[in-house]
Amino acid sequence: MVMLLYCQELGVKYITAYAFSIDNFKRKPEEVESLMASMLEKFHLLDILVKRLAVRVHFVGNLELLSNELRASAMELTEATAAYSKSVLTICIAYTSRDEILHAVRESCEQKRIDLEFDNDDDNEIKLMKVEKNMYMAVAPDPDIIIRTGGENRLSNFLLWQSCWSHLHSMWVLWPEIGVWNLVFAILNFQRNKTYHLEMRKKEKEL
Amino acid sequence: MFFISSFLHVSVHQVTVFKLLPLYFPSSFPISKIYFNLFFFFFSFSFFNFSKPLFSRLCLNRSMDFAKLKRMLYYWIHQIVNILLRLTWHLLHVTIHLFYFAINIANALESHLISKGLLRRYKSLHISKLQYLAIVIESEDCRTSNVIELLQWLADLGVKHVCLYDKEGILKKSKDFILEKFDGATLFQENDVLLDQPLMTLEFASFSDGKEAVAKAANVLFMKYLKSGSTSSYQGEQIFTESQMGEALKTVVGGNGPEPDLLLVYGPARCHLGFPAWRIRYTEIQHMGPLKSMKYGSLIKAIYKFTMVQQNYGK
């Protein structure tokens, strides 16, 4: 929560956090339930914080897998903050990158089918741009830095599609103990290679 | 009396300037606000205290443009603070460069010791844990001699299946040359199961095997979707599953390939450079530095670190 404040102070506009993975549903049901209950509590706190900081919130992921209460709370928060534009917080809940890709492909197929039915489109092919537009994460640009806490060096099904040119930073500190200096160190590390990352991104856009 | 009022006047303006200046601050300094706040506070506090008598004397002597003088003063303070902050930022980066330089020296020493076999814990690697290794190389750095040397090291360690990736596809173009020069390998075939084979299998991939392959697979699924005819969500659920996507990717050029266990990045930045997204969900990613400064010892250390890792897969 407080990281949101630090990011805003530092001028970071788009923040995406991985709250709950579809793989996490494999845990024991009691654990999953308690996680869901604590998430609901966190939403209430988040509600107060984002309204104070004028942060727009998006919930990204397969929300059908969540309980009705949680989903309704998430929708409410999204609607309540729709007018803010100072920063954008995207919370990935019931999300895996593969599921996101599949969902985008499915949406593109359905849209294409409708287009063909109404003869709106002569082209029978689904283009890459269409798939990218239908991604859950189309609400935010591709990240510059991906921070992984806990000393792990993998992405664990998080933003695999969007992380092509992102600086992958791995921290030893665990998430609850993270502080502003860890964030500053991650940003300074990114700045060392910033021109390289931006160049790569530009080359991709030209392709 | 005038003394005190001028000081109060100045203090009030100091506070407003404190709040206004962040608006003028260049947005390219992400750490600007923290340092700016600290710096400005100390600097302006000491400056104003020091120049209080000078200031009041000036005001007594020239009663004319007090406002103009203030504006000029704030402008110059702003400029000086700007320069000082820039210097601090550069100093920070120099410190970090030195820190990484020291770490690189330590790593070079360690890899030298590892290659000599002096460090005991790296002597026996559980290489069987590493089923599929992927290597991402920066296209501009791609020298085939280095690549062949790297493959030789991997063959010596007992790695059986390797995927070589580079963004531009330079390695793909020199595929035949590499296979010719390095006779310990064959090309990865679609139906190859990851069993123990006498020769190493090599796969070559480039950027087009990532996002574009997914778009092509999407078209394959779209054809299936159209053929199924029905628009019920049940049909949709049957077609758009991970396994169906995997099958569709196998039929597409460049989309095939198993998931790597370990991804080694040889390049200037810690970035996977567009390696096919569908395949790296649980892959450990290690940054190894530029290819021209590759070391046998750091390769062993990376593989050792991988074998020590425990994955929960969400549980």
Side-chain angles (χ1 to χ4, degrees):
Chain A
M1 298 275 191
V2 86
M3 287 299 283
L4 196 57
L5 182 64
Y6 296 148
C7 287
Q8 221 182 39
E9 278 294 307
L10 291 172
V12 178
K13 191 166 175 193
Y14 295 94
I15 305 146
T16 307
Y18 200 6
F20 196 82
S21 164
I22 295 180
D23 293 331
N24 291 138
F25 280 114
K26 290 184 211 159
R27 294 189 181 183
K28 293 187 206 140
E30 311 91 56
E31 211 181 320
V32 173
E33 260 181 55
S34 70
L35 277 169
M36 292 291 170
S38 71
M39 257 196 284
L40 206 55
E41 271 173 42
K42 289 268 161 63
F43 280 7
H44 293 305
L45 287 170
L46 193 64
D47 194 24
I48 304 168
L49 186 67
V50 299
K51 283 182 180 154
R52 194 117 175 248
L53 298 176
V55 175
R56 184 170 182 179
V57 180
H58 287 286
F59 284 95
V60 146
N62 194 355
L63 300 177
E64 305 299 315
L65 297 172
L66 298 172
S67 65
N68 288 337
E69 209 185 338
L70 207 57
R71 198 180 328 133
S73 182
M75 293 281 108
E76 209 184 293
L77 194 54
T78 316
E79 276 162 21
T81 56
Y84 299 135
S85 58
K86 196 167 172 196
S87 312
V88 176
L89 172 67
T90 316
I91 300 184
C92 295
I93 193 164
Y95 170 93
T96 55
S97 198
R98 279 201 173 182
D99 182 69
E100 182 191 21
I101 296 174
L102 266 176
H103 172 262
V105 164
R106 186 175 180 170
E107 286 291 304
S108 322
C109 288
E110 284 183 6
Q111 281 170 12
K112 196 81 192 182
R113 190 186 57 75
I114 294 172
D115 280 343
L116 283 178
E117 254 183 48
F118 293 110
D119 272 334
N120 274 348
D121 220 335
D122 295 322
D123 193 4
N124 234 4
E125 234 181 79
I126 296 182
K127 296 263 160 38
L128 180 63
M129 240 172 24
K130 192 140 185 111
V131 175
E132 291 206 314
K133 267 197 207 149
N134 282 317
M135 293 264 168
Y136 291 135
M137 287 301 298
V139 293
D142 288 349
D144 288 314
I145 313 177
I146 295 189
I147 298 179
R148 174 83 204 224
T149 56
E152 303 294 351
N153 280 311
R154 54 184 179 263
L155 289 170
S156 294
N157 244 324
F158 181 58
L159 299 185
L160 302 175
W161 184 272
Q162 292 83 356
S163 58
C164 286
W165 322 112
S166 320
H167 173 84
L168 306 169
H169 187 86
S170 176
M171 289 184 181
W172 280 105
V173 73
L174 296 171
W175 175 251
E177 295 150 6
I178 198 170
V180 69
W181 294 111
N182 301 108
L183 180 63
V184 167
F185 188 61
I187 293 175
L188 288 170
N189 268 299
F190 164 70
Q191 287 180 335
R192 293 177 76 215
N193 287 314
K194 181 182 167 185
T195 39
Y196 177 77
H197 288 289
L198 290 179
E199 223 179 85
M200 290 287 132
R201 214 181 280 269
K202 227 189 335 185
K203 278 192 193 161
E204 191 202 347
K205 286 214 175 98
E206 283 165 16
L207 279 171
Chain B
M1 212 34 213
F2 192 78
F3 244 69
I4 298 167
S5 66
S6 65
F7 176 60
L8 278 173
H9 210 60
V10 163
S11 321
V12 162
H13 279 272
Q14 174 190 344
V15 170
T16 50
V17 165
F18 186 82
K19 280 192 198 145
L20 280 172
L21 280 178
L23 291 173
Y24 298 109
F25 213 85
S27 55
S28 57
F29 294 150
I31 54 163
S32 58
K33 297 231 173 111
I34 298 172
Y35 278 91
F36 173 76
N37 289 346
L38 283 168
F39 239 100
F40 187 73
F41 179 75
F42 288 118
F43 184 77
S44 55
F45 183 77
S46 48
F47 183 81
F48 279 112
N49 267 345
F50 211 75
S51 61
K52 208 181 10 174
L54 174 68
F55 211 64
S56 44
R57 219 182 304 149
L58 272 171
C59 297
L60 282 171
N61 289 342
R62 302 170 190 222
S63 52
M64 37 156 228
D65 241 0
F66 185 62
K68 193 175 176 186
L69 200 69
K70 250 192 320 193
R71 274 200 300 272
M72 260 180 60
L73 200 65
Y74 292 145
Y75 172 74
W76 282 111
I77 292 172
H78 178 207
Q79 296 291 76
I80 292 170
V81 168
N82 227 343
I83 292 170
L84 283 172
L85 273 169
R86 241 181 226 270
L87 274 172
T88 320
W89 183 73
H90 281 292
L91 206 68
L92 252 175
H93 269 278
V94 162
T95 319
I96 289 188
H97 273 296
L98 287 171
F99 170 67
Y100 277 112
F101 182 68
I103 285 193
N104 282 339
I105 292 183
N107 280 341
L109 192 66
E110 196 185 4
S111 66
H112 187 72
L113 291 173
I114 294 172
S115 352
K116 296 286 175 199
L118 291 170
L119 290 175
R120 233 181 314 149
R121 62 177 170 162
Y122 297 108
K123 270 196 167 152
S124 60
L125 284 178
H126 298 286
I127 209 81
S128 51
K129 256 194 168 183
L130 184 58
Q131 295 265 306
Y132 199 82
L133 175 70
I135 300 178
V136 169
I137 301 177
E138 166 55 45
S139 306
E140 282 162 15
D141 226 0
C142 255
R143 237 168 291 147
T144 33
S145 52
N146 283 349
V147 173
I148 291 171
E149 195 183 348
L150 184 63
L151 288 174
Q152 191 59 56
W153 289 345
L154 288 170
D156 291 339
L157 285 172
V159 179
K160 285 292 170 197
H161 306 275
V162 176
C163 173
L164 290 171
Y165 171 92
D166 82 290
K167 185 178 140 256
E168 313 272 321
I170 292 175
L171 286 173
K172 250 189 188 170
K173 289 182 197 152
S174 33
K175 166 167 69 173
D176 296 319
F177 180 72
I178 292 176
L179 285 171
E180 205 187 292
K181 282 274 166 168
F182 181 68
D183 50 0
T186 57
L187 207 56
F188 182 79
Q189 301 300 332
E190 277 172 24
N191 301 321
D192 268 351
V193 184
L194 296 178
L195 294 171
D196 254 338
Q197 285 167 1
L199 287 177
M200 195 197 260
T201 58
L202 276 184
E203 190 198 340
F204 292 87
S206 70
F207 186 68
S208 58
D209 300 328
K211 294 188 175 183
E212 284 170 31
V214 169
K216 289 184 203 159
N219 278 302
V220 167
L221 289 177
F222 179 56
M223 291 297 142
K224 263 193 196 165
Y225 187 49
L226 283 181
K227 268 193 203 139
S228 75
S230 131
T231 57
S232 73
S233 63
Y234 178 70
Q235 278 288 3
E237 270 168 39
Q238 295 291 75
I239 295 173
F240 297 106
T241 58
E242 286 193 17
S243 52
Q244 288 283 349
M245 186 64 168
E247 291 298 323
L249 277 169
K250 281 196 184 141
T251 62
V252 151
V253 172
N256 187 27
E259 289 179 37
D261 296 306
L262 177 61
L263 188 88
L264 299 175
V265 179
Y266 281 97
R270 304 182 64 98
C271 174
H272 65 77
L273 297 178
F275 191 89
W278 190 259
R279 297 162 65 177
I280 48 170
R281 53 179 177 157
Y282 300 123
T283 311
E284 289 284 320
I285 302 174
Q286 289 276 7
H287 179 231
M288 308 291 286
L291 188 67
K292 55 186 178 217
S293 58
M294 62 182 193
K295 293 180 198 61
Y296 185 61
S298 29
L299 182 66
I300 294 186
K301 187 176 174 190
I303 297 178
Y304 175 79
K305 265 188 4 207
F306 162 74
T307 54
M308 292 290 119
V309 151
Q310 240 186 348
Q311 283 228 27
N312 289 332
Y313 299 104
K315 285 193 219 116

